[in-house]
Amino acid sequence: MASNGAGNGEFSFDNKRRIGLPKIQTQKTEDENVVCHDDSATPVKAQTLDELHSLQKKKSAPTTPIKSPHVFGVAVSEEERQKQQLQSISASLASLTRETGPKVVKGDPARQAETPKVQQPVHHHPTPALNISDSGLKFTHILYNLSPAELYEQAIKYEKGSFITSSGALATLSGAKTGRSPRDKRVVRDETTEDDLWWGKGSPNIEMDEQTFLINRERAVDYLCSLEKVFVNDQFLNWDPNNRIKVRIVSARAYHSLFMHNMCIRPTPEELEDFGTPDFTIYNAGQFPCNRYTHYMTSSTSIDINLARREMVILGTQYAGEMKKGLFGVMHYLMPKRQILSLHSGCNMGKEGDVALFFGLSGTGKTTLSTDHNRYLIGDDEHCWSDHGVSNIEGGCYAKCIDLAREKEPDIWNAIKFGTVLENVVFEEHAREVDYTDKSVTENTRAAYPIEYIPNAKIPCVGPHPKNVILLACDAFGVLPPVSKLNLAQTMYHFISGYTALVAGTEDGIKEPTATFSACFGAAFIMLHPTKYAAMLAEKMQKHGATGWLVNTGWSGGSYGSGSRIKLAYTRKIIDAIHSGALLKAEYKKTEVFGLEIPTALEGVPSEILDPVNTWPDKKAHKDTLLKLGGLFRKNFEVFTNYKIGSDSNLTEEILAAGPNF
């Protein structure tokens, strides 16, 4: 090789001359032996892969307790606290016939290197050795209050149909049931509930006796104890600290545990420290069926509530919404006993502290209208109204996903991220992007996420007494005004009625409106007679000066097929005028048949649409349709007419008089 090669085009690698490449300038260090930018690191302190993996996760601070409780002046050790917690869980899982709880231990069985120290079963009485069973010989591993990340791992590893979507949410399947099973829901009828609950025609409460409940409870508990592991959530209901309820959910699926983690109020470590015995317990056996030959059973599915025992049993359905709505029903019983009104409503609050309640059945726009970027969201579905004000019952939102679009509902779209449960959605198999228009599994696709995923959520989810109570109806008959101001009797009447009109197909393919009534805008969940909730609502509205409004988000200028849907922009103007108080200052006139007070003018809304008769070209057709709807209201209300509120029937008669008059 030539030594310099400058003239023959060859490169030189001589340190003194570099031809063809620029010379690299470097800084000289004081010590020529020091290496610049040393990337080397100390080797890991592990001799095996298992040891390395053990270094990856550091121990978290104990979840209970933070403070050091003392018993008779002696500090309770961490080991003793863990023992007490496991004793409580074992007692929850105790068989009523064997009167013992299972041997329980914390942790995932797949990660147990050796047989752990076990919490021996709780024996309420000395138990003969002859009663030993296979399940009594095994450990039941308790996965207690796992984090969303841990629950993701459990779901993806062990539950078929669990996937991480492109947004980070966990997609799951609820099995054969993709909605609630109201015909399979049972409530124990005993001395506790005989006189308190609403039974009979129109009631959602289908009775069962305690013996049958105990048979189903035993079946669910035996199934859960036979599993290698069960999930246990200890959480709260009701953001009002004076009236919150401690709930324990025992379930077989990570999906159910994550769902309830999102939907209930998540305790802080300090709150979990003093959790103690739960006020209510759910035993969710999921896909494990009930015995169809058991008395009161009509299918392999049964959702059973025992208010005296404060327990709920779920057999034969994996649909997570049964837990949410089962607990809502329980709150509809427990809260009124404390003179607190439980409500199936949305709730938001203005920057001045003015609170509005929104009631409405599916399709009325409750979610859309209660979600307002100019106002704080207290909650989207379940609330309590006490002497202190309003409070959300839940810690999360359960939103419909069918046809969800970022442009229409950006808050819900953005809330579907890591930690959110997506039920029964369809996604592209490679990119895992969800197609919210796809109904292949069900139309009832849902997302369950913590309420703090909504940017304008008010945390804690409490507010002062409501200023406005807004009843929403999507009137496909086209005869209810876009907005009406209600007196107290009218508010009670329309609250009890819970009206909307859906568009359903008839046999010959012509679509026509069908009236739908759901007492208190949530008949499937109420426990007491609707008039009791209505009387409490009126009493609280009167005491705190709230105004009732009936807002029609449905049709104008004719029924469905001939008229047109009232523009959302107009409805928003109406809602804004209610919030601001401007609508209270308007001039009003009274309508025929329903006797509703309607404004004659409202800024931003065409005056002619405020009175429906003006928008109908055929005045006779309008009158006929108005009378038809009035008749449907009367017929629906017949089931409530024989019920007395208080010692006399004056209030009942006052409510009846507030209905259609023709």
Side-chain angles (χ1 to χ4, degrees):
M1 185 176 180
S3 59
N4 274 341
N8 59 15
E10 291 183 9
F11 291 106
S12 169
F13 293 95
D14 182 40
N15 284 336
K16 294 179 180 178
R17 293 182 65 201
R18 294 174 188 266
I19 297 173
L21 291 173
K23 186 176 180 182
I24 298 172
Q25 298 293 329
T26 58
Q27 296 289 332
K28 275 197 170 186
T29 60
E30 291 181 9
D31 184 356
E32 291 289 344
N33 294 321
V34 173
V35 179
C36 273
H37 189 59
D38 184 4
D39 278 336
S40 63
T42 309
V44 294
K45 298 175 182 177
Q47 301 300 315
T48 67
L49 277 175
D50 285 345
E51 282 184 39
L52 177 60
H53 291 160
S54 71
L55 296 174
Q56 188 180 20
K57 286 181 271 187
K58 67 177 183 179
K59 293 286 185 184
S60 58
T63 52
T64 114
I66 297 302
K67 301 189 291 288
S68 294
H70 292 74
V71 180
F72 303 116
V74 181
V76 177
S77 67
E78 176 61 22
E79 187 177 356
E80 182 61 28
R81 287 192 292 266
Q82 293 288 339
K83 182 180 176 183
Q84 289 172 1
Q85 191 179 72
L86 287 172
Q87 280 179 334
S88 172
I89 294 169
S90 179
S92 290
L93 285 166
S95 161
L96 298 175
T97 53
R98 292 184 294 279
E99 297 181 329
T100 63
K103 297 173 183 176
V104 295
V105 64
K106 274 193 179 179
D108 185 351
R111 292 178 180 163
Q112 299 295 328
E114 58 186 45
T115 303
K117 289 182 180 178
V118 63
Q119 170 57 44
Q120 291 298 327
V122 178
H123 289 260
H124 305 289
H125 301 286
T127 308
L130 290 174
N131 277 354
I132 198 72
S133 64
D134 286 339
S135 61
L137 294 172
K138 63 177 279 295
F139 295 118
T140 300
H141 290 78
I142 304 299
L143 302 183
Y144 182 74
N145 275 37
L146 294 192
S147 68
E150 292 171 306
L151 290 167
Y152 267 51
E153 291 169 6
Q154 290 288 327
I156 290 163
K157 190 171 182 180
Y158 300 110
E159 296 177 14
K160 197 170 181 180
S162 299
F163 298 90
I164 300 176
T165 64
S166 60
S167 68
L170 181 70
T172 63
L173 291 173
S174 65
K177 304 279 185 179
T178 57
R180 290 182 301 103
S181 303
R183 291 185 181 87
D184 295 312
K185 183 183 166 191
R186 301 287 182 271
V187 182
V188 173
R189 187 167 184 166
D190 55 18
E191 60 274 10
T192 304
T193 59
E194 175 68 39
D195 297 325
D196 287 347
L197 265 58
W198 178 26
W199 303 103
K201 186 180 178 183
S203 167
N205 302 315
I206 306 171
E207 68 177 87
M208 75 186 310
D209 59 31
E210 180 158 27
Q211 181 62 24
T212 305
F213 174 85
L214 294 178
I215 290 169
N216 281 356
R217 181 195 185 276
E218 193 79 350
R219 190 171 174 89
V221 166
D222 281 349
Y223 169 72
L224 290 165
C225 290
S226 75
L227 300 174
E228 198 172 21
K229 64 188 176 190
V230 295
F231 299 88
V232 177
N233 292 40
D234 281 349
Q235 295 182 254
F236 298 116
L237 294 177
N238 196 355
W239 283 83
D240 176 0
N242 299 311
N243 293 290
R244 73 181 182 187
I245 302 295
K246 298 184 291 183
V247 292
R248 172 168 291 165
I249 303 103
V250 186
S251 58
R253 289 191 62 180
Y255 148 49
H256 291 151
S257 185
L258 181 57
F259 178 91
M260 293 308 277
H261 170 89
N262 290 348
M263 294 311 302
C264 295
I265 299 166
R266 293 156 289 285
T268 63
E270 291 86 354
E271 290 169 331
L272 208 53
E273 167 194 340
D274 301 318
F275 194 85
T277 304
D279 300 314
F280 199 88
T281 303
I282 294 178
Y283 301 99
N284 188 349
Q287 64 183 346
F288 193 72
C290 65
N291 185 338
R292 295 185 66 164
Y293 287 99
T294 305
H295 194 37
Y296 296 103
M297 299 299 103
T298 53
S299 77
S300 59
T301 299
S302 194
I303 302 99
D304 310 324
I305 294 175
N306 188 325
L307 293 168
R309 290 185 59 88
R310 304 289 176 92
E311 291 178 338
M312 177 179 174
V313 170
I314 298 174
L315 290 161
T317 174
Q318 298 180 75
Y319 181 66
E322 295 288 9
M323 295 183 286
K324 166 188 157 68
K325 289 304 185 184
L327 287 175
F328 189 32
V330 170
M331 294 296 279
H332 268 312
Y333 173 76
L334 295 177
M335 292 297 104
K337 283 190 165 294
R338 303 184 185 187
Q339 300 308 305
I340 296 169
L341 178 59
S342 48
L343 300 164
H344 187 215
S345 70
C347 181
N348 66 23
M349 185 180 83
K351 292 180 173 60
E352 305 300 318
D354 57 298
V355 169
L357 293 172
F358 292 81
F359 295 89
L361 302 180
S362 180
T364 58
K366 182 180 72 167
T367 302
T368 302
L369 295 171
S370 61
T371 304
D372 187 332
H373 288 170
N374 297 314
R375 296 173 66 84
Y376 300 109
L377 179 70
I378 292 175
D380 74 328
D381 196 44
E382 303 175 8
H383 293 87
C384 286
W385 188 352
S386 71
D387 290 338
H388 308 294
V390 291
S391 57
N392 190 348
I393 289 174
E394 301 179 296
C397 302
Y398 194 32
K400 288 182 178 177
C401 289
I402 197 67
D403 296 325
L404 179 67
R406 189 199 297 265
E407 303 74 34
K408 289 183 180 177
E409 295 182 279
D411 284 349
I412 295 175
W413 180 278
N414 292 327
I416 299 174
K417 56 186 180 180
F418 182 82
T420 297
V421 175
L422 277 174
E423 281 183 335
N424 301 315
V425 296
V426 176
F427 51 84
E428 193 275 321
E429 63 179 352
H430 177 62
R432 300 281 197 265
E433 291 179 355
V434 178
D435 180 357
Y436 292 109
T437 65
D438 197 315
K439 307 171 186 176
S440 298
V441 180
T442 178
E443 192 167 327
N444 188 33
T445 52
R446 296 268 184 166
Y449 49 85
I451 193 164
E452 56 265 29
Y453 281 16
I454 299 295
N456 61 327
K458 185 183 179 299
I459 308 293
C461 303
V462 295
H465 296 288
K467 183 178 174 184
N468 292 294
V469 174
I470 301 168
L471 312 182
L472 300 168
C474 176
D475 178 30
F477 289 97
V479 292
L480 288 182
V483 60
S484 316
K485 185 174 69 172
L486 305 175
N487 60 35
L488 279 178
Q490 287 176 321
T491 303
M492 284 192 283
Y493 182 89
H494 287 279
F495 176 70
I496 292 170
S497 296
Y499 163 74
T500 195
L502 307 175
V503 178
T506 55
E507 287 181 12
D508 57 1
I510 299 171
K511 291 189 174 182
E512 60 179 26
T514 303
T516 300
F517 297 93
S518 183
C520 307
F521 293 93
F525 322 119
I526 60 177
M527 288 282 187
L528 314 179
H529 195 275
T531 49
K532 290 192 176 182
Y533 300 105
M536 286 183 74
L537 178 64
E539 184 266 329
K540 290 186 181 296
M541 288 178 66
Q542 191 167 33
K543 184 176 179 180
H544 302 292
T547 306
W549 305 91
L550 180 63
V551 173
N552 174 23
T553 62
W555 270 254
S556 177
S559 297
Y560 175 86
S562 58
S564 57
R565 188 85 187 253
I566 297 170
K567 289 181 180 177
L568 179 59
Y570 295 159
T571 304
R572 286 199 185 278
K573 287 283 186 186
I574 289 167
I575 299 296
D576 288 345
I578 290 173
H579 290 324
S580 69
L583 204 49
L584 280 173
K585 300 169 186 172
E587 288 187 16
Y588 286 86
K589 66 177 184 178
K590 188 171 279 193
T591 67
E592 287 185 290
V593 182
F594 281 89
L596 299 169
E597 295 278 338
I598 60 172
T600 55
L602 176 61
E603 188 179 346
V605 181
S607 296
E608 62 269 17
I609 76 163
L610 294 173
D611 189 346
V613 70
N614 295 334
T615 64
W616 280 64
D618 187 336
K619 307 303 180 190
K620 183 180 182 303
H622 170 266
K623 185 66 179 283
D624 291 344
T625 309
L626 185 61
L627 292 171
K628 178 183 177 181
L629 183 60
L632 292 171
F633 266 83
R634 277 188 178 178
K635 187 169 188 276
N636 171 69
F637 218 83
E638 286 172 3
V639 72
F640 309 120
T641 53
N642 297 325
Y643 194 88
K644 289 186 179 181
I645 306 172
S647 56
D648 58 50
S649 59
N650 289 345
L651 186 54
T652 310
E653 289 169 5
E654 189 182 343
I655 295 171
L656 275 172
N661 185 14
F662 58 95

